Amino acid sequence: MSLSKEAARSALRARGLRATPPRVAVLVLLAGAERPLSFSEVLEQLGPTDWDPATTFRNLVKLREAGLAPVVSRAEGLDRYAYARAPQDAHQHPHFVCDDCGRVECLPAALTATLAMAGPWAASIEGAEVQLKGACPDCRAGGGR
Ligand SMILES: [Zn+2]
Ligand SMILES: [Zn+2]
């Protein structure tokens, strides 16, 4: 999914936020990412900016509070963010965590789509955070394990 700067600006304004350059940059980055990103990955992928890392962090938190960048994975105790057009857009699919490089990848929702149940608990379940782990294809190819 990609988001133009203009679309990012209107998404921010629609949530009552000012469309400042750090917010637009972080939102465009998250929308273009194929996997959830931690704060340090956001910094790394943004590259050099006119503002400092603390500003990026504050804006990431703002986006999270506004529901535009929910934390969709807490693998290994690290918050990872993803762009959400709507609140229900929050990565309701399993994630894969690599034990070697630590990256978190999105897996097809079909993997857990059959996790349905009937009975008194059915109405209680509002979401799932399924996490699978192992060595990612890159680490398997390069790590010689
Ligand atoms: Zn890996
Ligand atoms: Zn995901």
Side-chain angles (χ1 to χ4, degrees):
M1 190 188 336
S2 73
L3 188 72
S4 68
K5 283 190 174 182
E6 202 36 61
R9 285 190 199 103
S10 30
L12 286 161
R13 293 194 195 107
R15 306 291 171 110
L17 294 179
R18 281 193 305 128
T20 61
R23 287 175 193 166
V24 171
V26 170
L27 207 53
V28 167
L29 175 73
L30 288 176
E34 283 175 352
R35 56 195 181 91
L37 301 178
S38 66
F39 170 57
S40 59
E41 287 169 328
V42 167
L43 281 186
E44 200 179 291
Q45 298 197 15
L46 272 182
T49 53
D50 295 337
W51 54 89
D52 60 17
T55 302
T56 301
F57 187 71
R58 273 202 313 276
N59 283 291
L60 191 55
V61 170
K62 266 277 177 222
L63 295 174
R64 187 185 71 198
E65 288 168 356
L68 285 168
V71 172
V72 297
S73 164
R74 290 195 172 86
E76 321 280 289
L78 209 54
D79 286 348
R80 286 183 175 78
Y81 305 81
Y83 169 62
R85 273 169 306 181
Q88 65 272 22
D89 221 12
H91 286 234
Q92 300 285 358
H93 49 232
H95 285 118
F96 178 91
V97 189
C98 178
D99 284 333
D100 286 355
C101 64
R103 80 187 210 200
V104 172
E105 291 283 344
C106 300
L107 294 178
L111 262 179
T112 49
T114 52
L115 280 180
M117 65 182 295
W121 283 98
S124 301
I125 299 169
E126 290 170 351
E129 203 172 301
V130 178
Q131 195 170 292
L132 304 167
K133 50 194 290 180
C136 72
D138 288 349
C139 287
R140 287 172 56 84
R145 302 203 328 176

